[in-house]
Amino acid sequence: GQNIDQPTEMTATEGAIVQINCTYQTSGFNGLFWYQQHAGEAPTFLSYNVLDGLEEKGRFSSFLSRSKGYSYLLLKELQMKDSASYLCAVRDVDNAGKSTFGDGTTLTVKP
Amino acid sequence: IAGITQAPTSQILAAGRRMTLRCTQDMRHNAMYWYRQDLGLGLRLIHYSNTAGTTGKGEVPDGYSVSRANTDDFPLTLASAVPSQTSVYFCASSDRGDTDTQYFGPGTRLTVL
């Protein structure tokens, strides 16, 4: 089975940097996703990591350490529109295309 | 516009009634998924399909059934709805490429009374 842990809520200030952590315990590893979900909307893809290290994409970066079962999503130059839930998801190893999602971290950006 | 559509957008249903949630994608993705999302929680997989003609059970399949007659459509049926099935339902698809990135429909908000 898979167990994924994220903080439930975080608050940060506009213009600041915030790091959202995700730890996982899985039987095997095949990749990790971050999705963004605004209130009342569908999740949208942000990033994918399968190898250790940092992947940078504009203001968003995602880091993975497979040996530690750990990932984080780093958001720089926070904007009010970044207020959303951020879902960490681990790709299942059974090659059925499935992923297991964490409960998400609700980020509130304040002026 | 390419993507995934779901219908209805929202529905209030009496307990015991049968209901089918519709999902259609035009991206020619092989795989499709149904999730439910309850308040404050993440997505839980109900059923999935890797290709037309095949389906599989996810984490919470009881009370739900699916079919995959063709690539584009993946309906979810509640045979006899119960209040615990009140939730937001998301359909998703992926192309089964290198990463299995999933693309989500807008969701159906279902209330069972």
Side-chain angles (χ1 to χ4, degrees), chain B residues 30-93:
Chain B
N30 285 323
M32 297 186 75
Y33 315 87
W34 273 106
Y35 295 91
R36 61 177 289 171
Q37 186 174 40
D38 300 302
L39 191 63
L41 298 180
L43 298 162
R44 291 186 291 168
L45 183 66
I46 304 171
H47 286 287
Y48 66 96
S49 168
N50 277 336
T51 188
T54 68
T55 62
K57 293 182 179 180
E59 181 186 354
V60 289
D62 293 344
Y64 305 95
S65 63
V66 291
S67 62
R68 187 88 184 277
N70 57 62
T71 298
D72 299 343
D73 301 300
F74 191 41
L76 176 74
T77 297
L78 291 68
S80 179
V82 296
S84 62
Q85 292 178 310
T86 294
S87 189
V88 179
Y89 291 85
F90 287 103
C91 179
S93 71

Side-chain angles (χ1 to χ4, degrees), chain A residues 4-11 18-23 34 70-72 85-88 102-107, chain B residues 40:
Chain A
I4 300 171
D5 291 309
Q6 311 177 228
T8 302
E9 295 179 333
M10 298 183 70
T11 302
V18 70
Q19 178 175 310
I20 302 174
N21 296 325
C22 171
T23 59
W34 284 97
Y70 169 68
S71 173
Y72 67 73
S85 182
Y86 292 86
L87 306 175
C88 173
D103 287 345
T105 299
T106 300
L107 173 67

Side-chain angles (χ1 to χ4, degrees), chain A residues 34-38 42-44 46 60 81-82 84-87:
Chain A
W34 284 97
Y35 289 85
Q36 181 190 57
Q37 185 178 24
H38 285 101
T44 56
L46 283 178
F60 292 8
K81 68 178 182 179
D82 297 330
S85 182
Y86 292 86
L87 306 175

Side-chain angles (χ1 to χ4, degrees), chain A residues 8 30 33 35 37 40-45 47-48 85 87 91-92 94-104 106, chain B residues 31 33 35 37 40-43 45 48 50 57-59 90 94 96-107 109:
Chain A
T8 302
N30 198 23
F33 298 93
Y35 289 85
Q37 185 178 24
E41 297 183 8
T44 56
F45 170 76
S47 68
Y48 174 75
S85 182
L87 306 175
R91 187 182 180 191
D92 291 356
D94 61 0
N95 200 32
K98 302 183 273 95
S99 293
T100 300
F101 285 78
D103 287 345
T106 300
Chain B
Y33 315 87
Y35 295 91
Q37 186 174 40
L41 298 180
L43 298 162
L45 183 66
Y48 66 96
N50 277 336
K57 293 182 179 180
E59 181 186 354
F90 287 103
S94 76
R96 298 308 323 277
D98 290 343
T99 68
D100 284 323
T101 299
Q102 296 188 22
Y103 299 88
F104 289 82
R109 184 174 297 275

Side-chain angles (χ1 to χ4, degrees), chain A residues 17 46-47 54-62 73-79 81-82:
Chain A
I17 298 173
L46 283 178
S47 68
L54 188 69
E55 295 276 346
E56 297 187 78
K57 194 183 294 185
R59 293 189 300 113
F60 292 8
S61 303
S62 57
L73 181 69
L74 192 71
L75 290 74
K76 303 176 185 176
E77 302 170 13
L78 280 174
Q79 302 175 9
K81 68 178 182 179
D82 297 330

